[in-house]
Amino acid sequence: MIVDFSKLSTIKIGSKIDVKIINEDNYNGEIIIGRASNSLVCSGNIGILDDKYDFIEMIDNKLRVGAKTKNSKLYNFTRKYNISGFEFLSKLPGSIGGTIKMNAGMKNYEISDNLLSVNGIEKDKLEFGYRYSNIDFPIFWAEFEIKEGFNKKLVEMFSNMRNNQPKLPSLGSAFKNPPNDYAGRLIEEVGLKGVKFGNIGFSEKHANFLINYGNGKCDDVIAAIMAAKQRVLERFNIRLNEEIKIFQ
């Protein structure tokens, strides 16, 4: 199956790749891409999950969710059934598998908070941290604890936070925030806010967002990433770590 990642990816950059449809029986080391909301896919041995992993079920007071399920779909489900802990998914692009893999969240809320298991493996046997998990296997489904009390005020707070983010095509935050600091502040301090590399640039609205201003290329993104890492290291002796994933 040919997938044009320039159309699938939220930054609208990527290659046309012959991908394999993955299930639990045929996985053989492929890089599994979901909605490419934080992934720049330029090349590689790529797979996408079978559509059967797009589901939400309530079983024994647990929420079982397929990894291909969109974040927005799970958000709407939890809002409908008054379930708390998923409010930050309101406008978060991507699918649940990738969200778990990178332990995505906003403020002090993370997808691992209500997580019980992944593919039947209990959470306490896995490791989660800030925008991090040690999961090195394909995620097919997960189970979450069901807690009542969907919080509309949290949704409003997250919505207001996202108003500060650029609307043009991007992959979200380019870098993780280093301890006790902000990647956007560091990038701005080294003079890269608003600077373009080809048709890719650090947003004038939020310096930690790389924006595709039209017909951006994989090489443009990589050049911008390398420039930010080098300048911040030279100026502040801080190593920026990418939040986005690059496959080249």
Side-chain angles (χ1 to χ4, degrees):
M1 175 181 176
I2 302 296
V3 173
D4 185 349
F5 283 94
S6 69
K7 295 181 178 178
L8 177 65
S9 173
T10 55
I11 200 171
K12 304 304 179 187
I13 300 173
S15 303
K16 292 182 179 179
I17 298 176
D18 189 2
V19 304
K20 178 179 175 182
I21 307 300
I22 303 295
N23 59 50
E24 289 159 280
D25 298 320
N26 71 356
Y27 174 71
N28 191 31
E30 295 82 7
I31 298 166
I32 297 180
I33 301 295
R35 308 287 171 181
S37 59
N38 78 322
S39 299
L40 181 68
V41 186
C42 306
S43 65
N45 184 20
I46 307 297
I48 60 174
L49 288 181
D50 190 293
D51 286 343
K52 71 179 182 179
Y53 299 107
D54 180 0
F55 67 85
I56 304 174
E57 301 172 336
M58 286 193 284
I59 303 174
D60 298 329
N61 202 37
K62 298 176 184 178
L63 204 58
R64 181 174 291 185
V65 184
K68 197 171 184 176
T69 306
K70 287 183 179 181
N71 290 332
S72 58
K73 182 177 179 179
L74 180 57
Y75 165 79
N76 288 328
F77 184 95
T78 56
R79 180 181 62 180
K80 179 179 179 179
Y81 291 100
N82 192 35
I83 299 171
S84 71
F86 301 90
E87 291 88 351
F88 69 91
L89 295 178
S90 171
K91 295 180 181 178
L92 189 69
S95 51
I96 292 302
T99 299
I100 294 172
K101 171 70 175 176
M102 68 175 294
N103 194 25
M106 293 190 74
K107 284 288 190 180
N108 297 322
Y109 299 87
E110 299 172 331
I111 194 65
S112 62
D113 292 343
N114 286 3
L115 185 67
L116 295 173
S117 66
V118 178
N119 297 356
I121 301 170
E122 295 180 0
K123 176 185 172 182
D124 61 8
K125 295 181 180 178
L126 303 169
E127 182 181 339
F128 292 91
Y130 168 63
R131 302 298 179 268
Y132 164 82
S133 81
N134 69 341
I135 296 174
D136 60 358
F137 53 83
I139 299 173
F140 294 104
W141 55 274
E143 287 187 332
F144 298 90
E145 182 180 4
I146 294 178
K147 297 178 181 178
E148 291 188 356
F150 182 86
N151 192 330
K152 293 182 179 179
K153 290 185 178 180
L154 278 181
V155 176
E156 292 177 7
M157 181 185 77
F158 295 138
S159 179
N160 289 334
M161 290 173 61
R162 290 192 176 96
N163 286 337
N164 295 324
Q165 298 177 357
K167 306 303 181 184
L168 292 172
S170 80
L171 291 172
S173 297
F175 297 98
K176 301 175 184 179
N177 288 325
N180 304 312
D181 211 331
Y182 297 95
R185 184 193 77 82
L186 295 170
I187 294 167
E188 187 170 352
E189 285 291 323
V190 298
L192 285 175
K193 186 175 184 179
V195 173
K196 294 182 179 180
F197 295 77
N199 284 318
I200 293 294
F202 290 97
S203 171
E204 295 181 355
K205 190 170 186 179
H206 192 312
N208 196 25
F209 280 68
L210 280 172
I211 300 301
N212 182 3
Y213 290 97
N215 299 316
K217 307 297 182 185
C218 288
D219 289 346
D220 298 337
V221 177
I222 294 167
I225 291 286
M226 296 304 295
K229 294 176 74 170
Q230 181 178 352
R231 289 197 191 185
V232 170
L233 181 61
E234 290 175 351
R235 172 89 175 270
F236 298 104
N237 197 30
I238 294 174
R239 294 186 182 276
L240 289 179
N241 294 309
E242 295 97 320
E243 187 165 319
I244 63 178
K245 305 296 182 183
I246 300 176
F247 302 102
Q248 56 177 320

